[in-house]
Amino acid sequence: MNTNLVFPFSVEEITVAVTQPINYIGAYVLAGEFLNRGILNDVEVVRALLLGSILSSIPALRFLAPYYMGIYGFKDGFNLMIISTLVRVFITALFIIITV
């Protein structure tokens, strides 16, 4: 069975994407090295970094929560933070789907 039909990312793309939430500079270095060696092309690098951006949205909530809740209060701040994060993830996912 061709796994690309189920999950259209190569192992290298997933490696870059999973590295990004841990250390974004490391992900950029890794993506650049894959690009320089010809392992990934430019579209695959962008797609991997976009996927990493989506994966980074969850840990980013700990930085966004004090910002939104400090300005808008707990209830409104929480709702705005979730809406903002979901819209950002949705738009990023659309760009990934366009490049597949």
Side-chain angles (χ1 to χ4, degrees):
M1 180 176 169
N2 187 355
T3 58
N4 288 340
L5 297 176
V6 177
F7 198 67
F9 297 100
S10 67
V11 174
E12 292 82 6
E13 288 175 281
I14 294 171
T15 303
V16 171
V18 171
T19 304
Q20 192 167 351
I22 299 165
N23 185 341
Y24 68 94
I25 295 173
Y28 297 152
V29 170
L30 187 61
E33 188 63 26
F34 284 154
L35 184 63
N36 286 337
R37 291 181 183 241
I39 297 170
L40 295 176
N41 62 32
D42 54 349
V43 173
E44 292 170 332
V45 167
V46 170
R47 198 168 55 188
L49 292 173
L50 286 172
L51 180 61
S53 174
I54 289 175
L55 296 176
S56 297
S57 295
I58 302 302
L61 291 178
R62 68 182 173 158
F63 299 110
L64 294 174
Y67 173 77
Y68 279 100
M69 292 177 197
I71 294 173
Y72 301 107
F74 181 77
K75 183 180 178 186
D76 290 337
F78 180 78
N79 290 336
L80 285 171
M81 178 185 66
I82 295 299
I83 291 168
S84 169
T85 302
L86 290 176
V87 167
R88 187 171 47 253
V89 166
F90 179 73
I91 291 171
T92 305
L94 281 178
F95 281 112
I96 292 173
I97 290 169
I98 289 171
T99 62
V100 171

